[in-house]
Amino acid sequence: MSPSTRATVADVQLLSGPTVDVHTHVYLPSYIDYLRSRKEVPRIFRAESGEDRLVILPGEDKDSSTAKGRPIGKEYYDVDTKLEFMDVHKIDASVISLANPWLDFMDPSTASPLAAQINSDLQSICAKDYGDDGAKKVLYGLGCLPTTSVEGSVKALEHLAEMDRMRGVLMGTYGKGKGLDDPEFEPVFAKAEELGLPIFIHPHYGIPSEMYGDMPNGHVMSLALGFPFETTISITRIILAGVLDRYPKLKLILAHSGGVAPYLVGRLDSCVKHDRHISQRLKKPPSEVSPIYLKSLYYDAVSYNPAPLRSLCDLVGSDRVMFGTDNPFFPPLEGISGRWESVDTNYGAIAGLENVDWMKGVKGTNAARILDLHV
Amino acid sequence: MSPSTRATVADVQLLSGPTVDVHTHVYLPSYIDYLRSRKEVPRIFRAESGEDRLVILPGEDKDSSTAKGRPIGKEYYDVDTKLEFMDVHKIDASVISLANPWLDFMDPSTASPLAAQINSDLQSICAKDYGDDGAKKVLYGLGCLPTTSVEGSVKALEHLAEMDRMRGVLMGTYGKGKGLDDPEFEPVFAKAEELGLPIFIHPHYGIPSEMYGDMPNGHVMSLALGFPFETTISITRIILAGVLDRYPKLKLILAHSGGVAPYLVGRLDSCVKHDRHISQRLKKPPSEVSPIYLKSLYYDAVSYNPAPLRSLCDLVGSDRVMFGTDNPFFPPLEGISGRWESVDTNYGAIAGLENVDWMKGVKGTNAARILDLHV
């Protein structure tokens, strides 16, 4: 089985070894309750139809093509629905995380206790036994941080380190308000490194929507472009600030196959090399000169196409890339039961990889090793 | 010679067939004069040292790490210096274009006559014979448009079509002020298609710098990220507006290996597929479903790394990708004579391609075919 003989989605699922989904979200009841209580974005409101709708993206409520948000059904909060989704897609283990926008829009006094509650709830959910012996399902968790409070975030990390089913955190790029290259935010990275807890960096805010023009393009511009741009800006700022120089054992996982950082690796390197101040400030150029920054990171495989996924693996090594679904987002237009095209597209991207070892690794053994999962 | 035996820069230069640089800029004297007359960015001013300095990027004058712009030496405007650069780097033909920010910040009454002047000047420069028989150098041109005037741009295209050394235009993403998906700008695309004149889309404005945080990162964020993001936003808006559906023979060339559109092809496709309104509005999904949008475009090979260049060729076909240098930008830190590392890095990216045919094509035969060059 090689790219030339065209492996299929079914082939990938038949490969030995576990299938692990590292990018799969849930809105926990404690978080849903909080979002229901809000009058502003992010919020959940009851539409005239009686249906609950979720409006989460910045400015989403201002554009007529997106103001109604999206219906929020069981796939957003119900664990049994998540397990059913895993069953349908032959996923053995899921590393579940709170869905965006997490807690960075909250005052620290609200965010800190809510993070503690959510993380405990996640641990409880993940600690249960699911499925029978024939089709056992395993859940692990990535916790959340009250990032507007550095002290609260450090405490939350210490709390998470004591929970046997939690494997790190997932957070946005906002930090305490000035992004992840803010020197005041560094104690969070220091503590995560010290505790060996990976940090999954996930976009939410995108870039200013004035860039998107006047056409009614729904969520396409912000989700297809704004999200990966935000991730890329964030990791670039982290690199240029020297965070990876100071915390070389920090494990960062980048959403959506690294945003677009892998495609820009050469350009970024060239820009740094041609700026004497920055190239002297950094310990290494962020490119293929060994050892390198992008090769020290981890990535999900949520790229929806074989070409970028292959180039990511070419660049950083296939052993740093991990399957994900982004569930419950990108559901089928016609109901959530049955197989999701978005998931099969990501399986299909894996099917386009160089060889079976790469496919097995990305499908699950990488995640099991990187996140220490027992599957 | 295959990627496993590691072709080198020297190997690529020894391959038969022409070497063509499709991405190489010049600030023509008429444009330099205009920039000298300005008090605001973009402008050229004389520093206290007596040196001329160019400040062109939005906000560049506001940030202490970039306010002084860059020294503007002969490599910015002198044709002999361009020919010397071609000689040193074994480039047989260059398709020269005005450098950013072109004319989209000007009132139409200024821009239209200046465009006519610049285009005539470019034609004259390109029409001369350069080099002797042993090392003949050939120049072609991409003209500029007074994009704030649609009528003026249409006239400029007609003017360019009559010039025997001009091969299309190079322009920014601003259009007449609302971007390239502005319905009022469409006559420009219609005319370019009718005349068979390719349009090279090049970024300049980037994205709002508020995204880049407070660290002194010089030009890195705006050049490494803002530029490719702008190109990607622009081509996505063009696709979503249906421009490529209405002008299927339009030849668009994207700067810097397509910004990051090639890496996002799957994500863009998934976002469109999951939005009923947009997927119904477009004739085709922007992905690998055949025939596709990204495969109908052309790209330079200015990616500075083999991994993205390989993935671009995988995705769209190597026959749509053309070598470029981005001269006079990214000059060596220590003087402009001798070989430029930025150029060799782009040759090196070609050396990482699948096979010799791909390398030859990207090095020059693709450009000769696509732009009808006699080399």
Side-chain angles (χ1 to χ4, degrees):
Chain A
M1 194 161 56
S2 77
S4 59
T5 58
R6 294 200 177 264
T8 63
V9 169
D11 290 333
V12 171
Q13 294 191 331
L14 285 171
L15 290 172
S16 63
T19 300
V20 180
D21 181 359
V22 301
H23 190 156
T24 180
H25 302 293
V26 62
Y27 286 87
L28 292 183
S30 42
Y31 192 46
I32 294 252
D33 287 347
Y34 179 78
L35 291 174
R36 273 192 217 285
S37 75
R38 286 175 57 87
K39 299 284 173 234
E40 293 176 344
V41 173
R43 64 182 289 222
I44 292 169
F45 71 96
R46 185 145 294 178
E48 282 175 22
S49 61
E51 186 184 57
D52 276 344
R53 300 197 65 106
L54 173 69
V55 188
I56 47 172
L57 297 174
E60 192 171 47
D61 55 332
K62 305 284 195 298
D63 178 331
S64 63
S65 69
T66 57
K68 282 189 265 177
R70 66 226 80 200
I72 177 165
K74 282 196 300 180
E75 72 277 20
Y76 280 78
Y77 51 79
D78 180 57
V79 176
D80 287 337
T81 306
K82 180 75 78 186
L83 293 164
E84 211 175 293
F85 171 85
M86 291 171 66
D87 205 49
V88 167
H89 297 96
K90 303 198 193 307
I91 295 164
D92 302 301
S94 289
V95 186
I96 61 177
S97 52
L98 194 66
N100 54 318
W102 312 288
L103 314 181
D104 60 20
F105 58 94
M106 292 177 194
D107 187 85
S109 64
T110 309
S112 289
L114 187 56
Q117 177 70 50
I118 287 170
N119 290 339
S120 294
D121 291 350
L122 260 181
Q123 157 69 21
S124 303
I125 289 169
C126 296
K128 288 185 187 157
D129 285 328
Y130 296 106
D132 51 34
D133 285 347
K136 197 165 153 56
K137 298 275 167 284
V138 180
L139 298 183
Y140 286 89
L142 294 169
C144 63
L145 298 182
T147 59
T148 45
S149 165
V150 171
E151 197 192 342
S153 295
V154 166
K155 276 191 193 152
L157 285 167
E158 287 168 343
H159 184 201
L160 286 163
E162 292 165 4
M163 300 180 184
D164 70 337
R165 306 298 293 181
M166 302 303 275
R167 287 297 181 270
V169 295
L170 184 142
M171 70 182 191
T173 69
Y174 187 77
K176 64 190 284 289
K178 290 180 153 190
L180 301 181
D181 57 355
D182 178 1
E184 292 184 15
F185 195 72
E186 280 209 24
V188 177
F189 291 127
K191 181 56 73 173
E193 185 191 52
E194 179 197 322
L195 297 171
L197 287 175
I199 298 179
F200 192 124
I201 296 177
H202 192 297
H204 169 71
Y205 291 101
I207 64 168
S209 59
E210 67 200 65
M211 294 296 299
Y212 298 151
D214 298 331
M215 292 284 294
N217 288 328
H219 291 111
V220 173
M221 299 299 290
S222 57
L223 290 182
L225 308 189
F227 264 37
F229 291 178
E230 179 189 350
T231 307
T232 308
I233 290 168
S234 184
I235 191 62
T236 305
R237 286 171 57 176
I238 287 171
I239 291 171
L240 296 182
V243 171
L244 302 184
D245 289 333
R246 289 189 288 285
Y247 308 99
K249 291 183 181 165
L250 184 63
K251 279 188 177 175
L252 297 182
I253 305 166
L254 298 184
H256 314 120
S257 298
V260 293
Y263 197 77
L264 293 177
V265 61
R267 189 167 176 84
L268 183 57
D269 185 41
S270 187
C271 288
V272 170
K273 271 186 204 157
H274 287 85
D275 185 313
R276 211 184 301 267
H277 297 288
I278 296 174
S279 57
Q280 287 173 355
R281 191 172 82 199
L282 291 177
K283 284 202 188 151
K284 310 151 194 146
S287 79
E288 61 194 329
V289 180
S290 168
I292 62 146
Y293 295 109
L294 291 187
K295 278 188 194 169
S296 74
L297 307 175
Y298 300 90
Y299 303 83
D300 72 27
V302 181
S303 68
Y304 306 97
N305 190 285
L309 193 65
R310 273 200 299 265
S311 75
L312 173 65
C313 291
D314 269 356
L315 186 75
V316 304
S318 66
D319 56 335
R320 296 185 165 269
V321 183
M322 302 176 274
F323 176 68
T325 62
D326 219 345
N327 179 265
F329 301 106
F330 300 103
L333 292 175
E334 315 298 342
I336 60 159
S337 59
R339 290 191 75 92
W340 290 27
E341 183 179 355
S342 57
V343 177
D344 281 344
T345 308
N346 280 316
Y347 271 127
I350 296 177
L353 289 179
E354 195 75 9
N355 60 54
V356 169
D357 285 343
W358 287 26
M359 295 181 204
K360 283 183 185 175
V362 175
K363 182 173 79 96
T365 53
N366 294 342
R369 186 188 72 250
I370 294 163
L371 297 172
D372 187 26
L373 311 181
H374 307 286
V375 283
Chain B
M1 194 160 56
S2 76
S4 59
T5 58
R6 292 197 180 264
T8 64
V9 170
D11 291 332
V12 172
Q13 293 190 331
L14 286 170
L15 290 173
S16 63
T19 300
V20 180
D21 181 359
V22 300
H23 189 156
T24 180
H25 303 293
V26 61
Y27 286 87
L28 291 183
S30 43
Y31 192 45
I32 294 252
D33 287 347
Y34 180 77
L35 291 174
R36 273 192 217 285
S37 75
R38 287 175 56 86
K39 300 282 173 236
E40 292 176 346
V41 172
R43 65 182 290 222
I44 292 169
F45 71 96
R46 185 144 294 177
E48 283 175 21
S49 61
E51 184 183 57
D52 276 344
R53 301 196 65 105
L54 173 69
V55 189
I56 48 172
L57 298 174
E60 191 172 47
D61 56 332
K62 304 283 194 299
D63 179 332
S64 62
S65 69
T66 58
K68 281 189 265 174
R70 66 225 83 201
I72 177 166
K74 283 197 297 178
E75 72 277 20
Y76 280 79
Y77 51 79
D78 180 57
V79 175
D80 287 338
T81 307
K82 180 75 77 185
L83 294 163
E84 210 177 294
F85 170 85
M86 290 170 67
D87 205 50
V88 167
H89 297 95
K90 302 197 195 308
I91 294 164
D92 303 299
S94 288
V95 186
I96 61 177
S97 52
L98 194 67
N100 53 319
W102 312 288
L103 314 180
D104 60 18
F105 58 93
M106 293 177 194
D107 187 85
S109 64
T110 310
S112 289
L114 187 56
Q117 178 70 52
I118 287 170
N119 291 339
S120 294
D121 292 349
L122 261 181
Q123 157 70 19
S124 303
I125 289 170
C126 295
K128 289 186 188 155
D129 284 329
Y130 297 105
D132 51 32
D133 285 348
K136 196 165 152 57
K137 298 276 169 279
V138 180
L139 298 183
Y140 286 90
L142 294 170
C144 63
L145 298 183
T147 58
T148 45
S149 165
V150 172
E151 199 191 341
S153 296
V154 166
K155 277 189 193 153
L157 286 167
E158 287 167 345
H159 185 202
L160 287 163
E162 291 165 4
M163 300 180 185
D164 69 338
R165 305 300 294 181
M166 302 302 278
R167 287 298 183 269
V169 295
L170 183 141
M171 69 181 191
T173 70
Y174 187 76
K176 63 188 288 287
K178 291 180 152 190
L180 300 180
D181 57 354
D182 177 0
E184 291 183 14
F185 195 72
E186 280 209 25
V188 177
F189 291 127
K191 182 56 73 176
E193 186 191 51
E194 180 197 322
L195 297 171
L197 288 175
I199 298 178
F200 191 124
I201 296 176
H202 193 297
H204 168 71
Y205 292 101
I207 64 168
S209 59
E210 68 198 65
M211 294 296 299
Y212 299 151
D214 299 331
M215 292 284 292
N217 288 328
H219 291 112
V220 173
M221 299 298 290
S222 56
L223 290 183
L225 308 189
F227 264 38
F229 291 178
E230 179 189 350
T231 307
T232 308
I233 290 168
S234 184
I235 192 62
T236 305
R237 287 172 55 176
I238 286 171
I239 291 170
L240 296 183
V243 172
L244 302 184
D245 289 334
R246 288 189 288 284
Y247 308 100
K249 291 182 182 166
L250 184 64
K251 278 188 177 176
L252 297 182
I253 304 167
L254 299 184
H256 314 118
S257 298
V260 293
Y263 197 76
L264 293 178
V265 62
R267 188 166 177 85
L268 183 56
D269 185 40
S270 186
C271 288
V272 170
K273 271 187 205 156
H274 287 84
D275 186 313
R276 210 185 301 266
H277 296 290
I278 296 174
S279 57
Q280 287 173 354
R281 192 171 82 199
L282 291 176
K283 285 203 188 151
K284 310 149 194 147
S287 78
E288 62 195 329
V289 179
S290 166
I292 61 144
Y293 295 108
L294 291 186
K295 277 188 195 168
S296 75
L297 307 174
Y298 301 90
Y299 303 83
D300 72 27
V302 181
S303 68
Y304 306 96
N305 190 285
L309 193 65
R310 273 201 299 267
S311 77
L312 173 64
C313 291
D314 269 357
L315 186 74
V316 304
S318 66
D319 57 336
R320 295 184 165 270
V321 183
M322 302 176 273
F323 176 67
T325 62
D326 218 346
N327 177 263
F329 301 106
F330 300 103
L333 292 175
E334 314 299 341
I336 61 159
S337 60
R339 292 191 74 92
W340 291 26
E341 184 178 357
S342 57
V343 177
D344 281 344
T345 308
N346 279 317
Y347 271 127
I350 295 177
L353 289 180
E354 194 76 6
N355 59 55
V356 168
D357 284 342
W358 287 26
M359 295 181 203
K360 283 183 186 177
V362 174
K363 181 172 81 94
T365 53
N366 294 342
R369 187 188 70 250
I370 293 163
L371 297 172
D372 187 26
L373 312 180
H374 307 286
V375 284

